[in-house]
Amino acid sequence: MSELINNSEQRKSLLKHMITQLHEGVAPEEVKARLAELLKKIPYGEVVEVEQELINEGLPTEEVLKLCDVHAEVLDGSIDQTGARVAPAGHPVDTFLKENIELKKMVGELEKMYEESENIPEESLEKFLLGIKGKFNLLWDVDKHYRRKENLLFPYMENYGITGPPKVMWGKHDEARELLKAARETLEDVKSISKEEFSGLIDLVFRPASNSVVDMINREEEILFPMTMDKLTDIEWYEIYKQTNEIGYCLYDPKDKWEPEGIEETFEEMIEGDNIVLPSGKFQPKELLALLNTLPIDMTFVDKDDKVKYFSQGKHRIFDRNRAILGRDVKLCHPPSSVDIVDQILQDFKSGKESHAPFWIQMGGKFIHIEYFALRDEKGEYLGCLEVSQDLTHLRALEGEQRLLEYSKG
């Protein structure tokens, strides 16, 4: 028996035989009992290899998809993750796992609501349904989780010749999407409902939809993520990491930045075709220029060497600026009476003593608010100073409310 347990080829052969038995209609309970008796544990990578082999040998992907739920149940508790790499904070897999935590919380809240519904008076069911509707609207965020796998992770798996499992998992994504869509559409359509009808919807529509999300989480965490952590290089994961913002996140906003050792992102890597790529999105240069010049503030950026590098060009500037000041020492751009103040601000920003200096003045009947901000990188190193000026006269004069659209008052 031990030679079977410790022999990879024999383990895979036995697993393949058992999945084939499932395909031929042998009862899952019988197969699971034999698996537990003979294999005890099977490494996660071998499960992927067996699925791939079955597809290569002619078992249609659609058939593997049909068997997926059954053989996942058979393998439950029998997949060995010993030796699996742990994803560092901020790594794409770390983000997937933290999204899974939030998804499981959401499903847990739904499950609690299903149980509570048994004690809800019939006249309160309509309001109770609104709560469930809100949870399912949030749960639909899982679509972004799935799209990141489909469009960013699966192509790398296919580069390694792992084509079958991504097809199977993509199919299960679509099944989950359909179930979630059906639940949301049902919740949109239901206006009044009896306790009996509500109970039926839980069993036939709501619970299958929320359970489909948990089933996928189990497949990801038991097989997909350990296997891809082994297969993909840090460079490949970093490419996935850089593109993740394009699709977005699911119920979780990553706080940690991840950068593999030996890789330092440069400005050139933040240029993508005609776009300037930033951590929270991207712009074409003309879009960025229009955005900066539309903000209802004046901005001037002074670099770490006290040289003027940029100023915004809004329609209603408060203080005159022209391109002759670009590259000029900022202290030469101020009258002698205020140079000492400017120099004090810059010294305090550079030393780390301060990071913000606000002022406000009356000028020509206007109330002008001026702020200086220290700009620092993620390591806390000083990058320069941003001056922001704003005419607050109109805002200070506002009273009451404006709830209707009236452009003339804007």
Side-chain angles (χ1 to χ4, degrees):
M1 185 72 68
S2 61
E3 68 274 10
L4 177 61
I5 293 173
N6 295 320
N7 186 294
S8 174
E9 289 306 315
Q10 291 188 33
R11 261 196 318 263
K12 289 193 292 184
S13 177
L14 179 58
L15 178 59
K16 189 188 300 183
H17 172 67
M18 290 183 170
I19 292 176
T20 303
Q21 284 188 308
L22 290 171
H23 177 58
E24 294 170 353
V26 177
E29 292 76 13
E30 181 181 337
V31 175
K32 185 170 184 176
R34 291 184 60 206
L35 182 70
E37 178 186 353
L38 296 177
L39 290 186
K40 307 298 182 187
K41 291 283 185 180
I42 183 165
Y44 52 85
E46 292 180 10
V47 179
V48 175
E49 291 174 21
V50 167
E51 281 192 352
Q52 184 68 53
E53 287 178 15
L54 285 167
I55 291 172
N56 291 345
E57 291 169 7
L59 188 64
T61 304
E62 294 76 13
E63 287 300 313
V64 178
L65 187 60
K66 290 178 184 176
L67 294 169
C68 195
D69 289 331
V70 181
H71 82 253
E73 180 186 346
V74 166
L75 290 171
D76 183 36
S78 299
I79 297 176
D80 186 4
Q81 296 184 16
T82 303
R85 289 176 58 204
V86 177
H91 187 286
V93 168
D94 176 64
T95 299
F96 277 127
L97 292 172
K98 287 184 172 144
E99 288 179 335
N100 282 349
I101 290 171
E102 298 306 313
L103 286 166
K104 285 189 279 191
K105 284 182 186 175
M106 191 64 61
V107 172
E109 290 171 13
L110 276 167
E111 191 61 42
K112 186 178 179 182
M113 293 182 80
Y114 301 154
E115 295 171 3
E116 288 175 351
S117 67
E118 296 177 6
N119 301 316
I120 297 292
E122 194 160 295
E123 60 271 17
S124 302
L125 280 179
E126 188 175 343
K127 184 177 179 180
F128 195 73
L129 276 170
L130 288 175
I132 291 180
K133 179 181 176 181
K135 300 293 183 188
F136 270 105
N137 285 340
L138 290 170
L139 200 57
W140 179 249
D141 227 27
V142 76
D143 178 62
K144 288 183 283 189
H145 182 98
Y146 294 163
R147 283 192 287 127
R148 295 210 316 276
K149 288 163 61 184
E150 294 160 357
N151 298 312
L152 300 179
L153 180 55
F154 289 175
Y156 282 101
M157 294 175 66
E158 290 156 6
N159 288 342
Y160 284 95
I162 305 170
T163 58
K167 288 181 182 177
V168 172
M169 190 163 277
W170 199 321
K172 298 306 293 182
H173 291 172
D174 287 342
E175 284 184 10
R177 286 181 176 116
E178 287 301 314
L179 289 167
L180 290 169
K181 181 181 177 183
R184 295 175 75 208
E185 289 177 348
T186 299
L187 287 161
E188 286 289 344
D189 293 339
V190 171
K191 303 303 178 186
S192 61
I193 191 170
S194 67
K195 288 285 293 268
E196 185 178 355
E197 290 170 327
F198 186 75
S199 178
L201 285 177
I202 288 175
D203 293 335
L204 296 175
V205 181
F206 302 151
R207 186 170 275 126
S210 52
N211 283 349
S212 71
V213 174
V214 176
D215 290 343
M216 179 54 65
I217 288 172
N218 293 336
R219 291 188 180 92
E220 290 175 354
E221 297 186 357
E222 291 186 0
I223 301 174
L224 179 70
F225 295 151
M227 184 268 294
T228 51
M229 283 294 292
D230 285 347
K231 287 287 185 184
L232 272 62
T233 66
D234 279 349
I235 300 297
E236 290 167 329
W237 279 119
Y238 192 54
E239 288 302 314
I240 292 172
Y241 172 83
K242 289 192 293 183
Q243 297 175 70
T244 295
N245 280 330
E246 294 293 307
I247 296 173
Y249 302 93
C250 165
L251 302 179
Y252 169 74
D253 183 13
K255 300 295 184 284
D256 298 298
K257 181 179 179 181
W258 177 69
E259 201 172 83
E261 289 186 16
I263 291 180
E264 192 164 335
E265 191 165 35
T266 64
F267 180 74
E268 286 74 19
E269 291 174 315
M270 297 177 69
I271 301 297
E272 180 186 277
D274 294 333
N275 291 305
I276 299 168
V277 181
L278 302 173
S280 55
K282 63 183 179 181
F283 296 96
Q284 291 185 357
K286 62 181 180 181
E287 293 171 334
L288 182 57
L289 180 62
L291 183 150
L292 292 171
N293 289 339
T294 302
L295 291 173
I297 55 177
D298 286 354
M299 293 186 295
T300 303
F301 170 58
V302 177
D303 71 10
K304 64 180 181 179
D305 298 317
D306 302 338
K307 299 296 189 292
V308 179
K309 292 285 290 288
Y310 164 82
F311 62 90
S312 58
Q313 296 176 294
K315 292 180 180 179
H316 307 290
R317 282 206 61 92
I318 298 166
F319 300 108
D320 290 335
R321 296 282 186 270
N322 62 70
R323 284 183 287 182
I325 69 169
L326 296 176
R328 192 179 185 194
D329 190 300
V330 69
K331 290 187 282 292
L332 300 177
C333 300
H334 288 77
S337 60
S338 62
V339 168
D340 288 346
I341 295 175
V342 172
D343 188 55
Q344 183 67 54
I345 291 170
L346 294 175
Q347 292 306 316
D348 288 343
F349 283 2
K350 290 176 183 179
S351 69
K353 179 181 177 182
E354 301 290 344
S355 292
H356 177 223
F359 301 87
W360 48 95
I361 60 174
Q362 303 285 342
M363 188 178 73
K366 296 179 179 180
F367 183 89
I368 308 300
H369 193 262
I370 307 162
E371 292 180 279
Y372 294 89
F373 298 91
L375 303 184
R376 309 185 195 281
D377 65 15
E378 293 181 348
K379 297 178 182 178
E381 294 182 11
Y382 179 72
L383 300 176
C385 170
L386 177 67
E387 179 194 69
V388 177
S389 303
Q390 187 173 13
D391 180 358
L392 296 181
T393 310
H394 173 67
L395 296 178
R396 294 182 85 211
L398 293 177
E399 295 180 350
E401 297 180 345
Q402 178 179 302
R403 293 177 176 267
L404 300 177
L405 181 60
E406 297 183 32
Y407 290 114
S408 61
K409 293 186 179 180

